[in-house]
């Protein structure tokens, strides 16, 4: 997560390299090599995060979705279900389990299109569920509940009830949806002034699930104070 200049970026049909980190397709596997620096008092220091992540999709999906009427922003769940292997050298740890792969792209900065959004993904046996909702920059709201079947095809479901969640330590609001309108934060993995990622337990489409959940406040992200703080957290190109 280091800002870099154009000369530090390389892209081909199967590979994207940014600085010393890269991702590349090897057959049906996505191999992600990580070599990132920490930052102290605004200055990068020696590499402290190094390792490899391998994502093997179990189910592919070719469907993409426009998130705004002007179609400036799109989202696609490429692999609603995947197997993931993590092997880190620094810190020394490893992990294997179930995962997911998606992507967003657009023709304008994301903060120009949205005020906030809230997203979650959960496994439902051999299927997967994705909930997406937020507020666009013009004040209009959007919300979608998708269920991906075993072949990777997305089916739009009736929206579950809104389920409030407690704010983060930075007092950022977050919300989700669930059967009977009840959900519980099990653990928050990442908590920043404008972004949070958590594990959320709920009941969804008749099944008890443990979902990966994220909330993003673009109003906070674009605020002058957060923009001033970012270089102290993430190495920034001069």
């Amino acid at each position: 997560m280091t800002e870099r200049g154009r000369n530090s970026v390389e892209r081909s049909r199967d590979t994207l390299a940014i600085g010393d980190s890269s991702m590349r397709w090897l057959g049906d596997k996505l191999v992600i090599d990580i070599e990132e620096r920490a930052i102290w008092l605004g200055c990068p220091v020696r590499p402290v995060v190094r390792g490899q992540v391998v994502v093997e999709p179990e189910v592919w999906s070719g469907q993409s979705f426009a998130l705004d009427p002007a179609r400036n922003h799109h989202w696609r769940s490429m692999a609603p279900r995947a197997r993931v292997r993590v092997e880190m050298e620094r810190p020394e740890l490893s992990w294997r389990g179930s995962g997911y792969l998606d992507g967003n792209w657009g023709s304008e900065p994301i903060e120009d299109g949205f005020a906030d959004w809230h997203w979650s993904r959960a496994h439902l046996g051999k299927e997967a569920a994705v909930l997406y909702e937020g507020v666009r920059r013009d004040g209009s709201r959007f919300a979608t509940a998708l269920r991906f079947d075993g072949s990777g095809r997305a089916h739009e479901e009736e929206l579950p009830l809104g389920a409030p969640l407690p704010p983060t330590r930075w007092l950022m609001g977050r919300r989700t949806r669930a059967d009977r309108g009840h959900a519980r934060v099990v653990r928050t993995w990442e908590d920043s002034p404008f972004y949070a990622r958590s594990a959320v337990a709920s009941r969804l489409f008749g099944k008890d699930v443990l979902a990966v959940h994220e909330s993003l406040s673009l109003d906070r992200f674009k605020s002058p104070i957060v923009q001033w703080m970012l270089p102290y957290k993430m190495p920034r190109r001069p």
Side-chain angles (χ1 to χ4, degrees):
M1 298 299 295
T2 302
E3 284 198 351
R4 300 196 185 266
R6 179 175 297 179
N7 292 336
S8 298
V9 178
E10 296 181 12
R11 186 175 68 171
S12 66
R13 180 180 180 275
D14 298 316
T15 302
L16 172 65
I18 303 175
D20 295 324
S21 296
S22 67
M23 58 178 68
R24 64 191 187 279
W25 286 104
L26 294 178
D28 288 340
K29 298 179 182 179
L30 179 62
V31 179
I32 305 167
D33 291 309
I34 301 167
E35 179 83 22
E36 291 296 328
R37 298 171 292 173
I39 192 165
W40 184 73
L41 296 181
C43 299
V45 296
R46 63 182 177 85
V48 294
V49 179
R50 178 187 295 130
Q52 187 177 84
V53 179
V54 179
V55 181
E56 299 181 67
E58 296 178 302
V59 175
W60 287 93
S61 177
Q63 294 171 269
S64 61
F65 301 86
L67 300 178
D68 64 314
R71 305 182 70 85
N72 291 323
H73 301 272
H74 296 77
W75 165 77
R76 177 187 169 193
S77 176
M78 291 170 276
R81 292 186 60 94
R83 296 184 300 274
V84 180
R85 302 196 313 272
V86 180
E87 298 291 341
M88 301 298 296
E89 297 178 24
R90 186 183 296 171
E92 188 176 349
L93 56 85
S94 61
W95 179 86
R96 296 190 179 198
S98 297
Y100 167 90
L101 178 66
D102 73 356
N104 291 76
W105 68 96
S107 58
E108 66 179 7
I110 193 171
E111 63 269 23
D112 289 354
F114 302 93
D116 68 29
W117 75 30
H118 308 267
W119 168 95
S120 64
R121 186 272 304 163
H123 287 322
L124 299 171
K126 293 184 178 181
E127 299 182 325
V130 174
L131 304 178
Y132 225 137
E133 66 179 295
V135 179
R136 301 185 184 99
R137 184 56 63 191
D138 63 7
S140 62
R141 294 180 175 273
F142 67 99
T144 302
L146 298 174
R147 190 168 183 164
F148 291 87
D149 62 25
S151 66
R153 183 164 183 80
H155 304 271
E156 191 165 353
E157 301 282 350
E158 182 178 350
L159 282 170
L161 295 173
L165 296 171
T168 67
R169 288 180 297 176
W170 285 94
L171 299 180
M172 190 181 73
R174 45 187 172 179
R175 61 182 181 270
T176 190
R177 292 176 179 269
D179 296 355
R180 299 192 294 270
H182 176 73
R184 174 175 58 90
V185 176
V186 175
R187 182 177 179 183
T188 297
W189 292 308
E190 186 170 351
D191 188 352
S192 79
F194 62 91
Y195 175 83
R197 180 174 285 255
S198 312
V200 172
S202 69
R203 189 167 180 82
L204 195 59
F205 304 128
K207 295 184 179 182
D208 292 328
V209 300
L210 183 64
V212 176
H213 178 276
E214 71 175 13
S215 289
L216 174 65
S217 171
L218 282 313
D219 282 346
R220 285 192 172 197
F221 172 76
K222 67 185 296 187
S223 72
I225 189 169
V226 169
Q227 290 296 309
W228 177 83
M229 291 167 60
L230 280 176
Y232 294 92
K233 182 68 174 177
M234 179 179 73
R236 173 164 286 183
R237 181 172 62 95

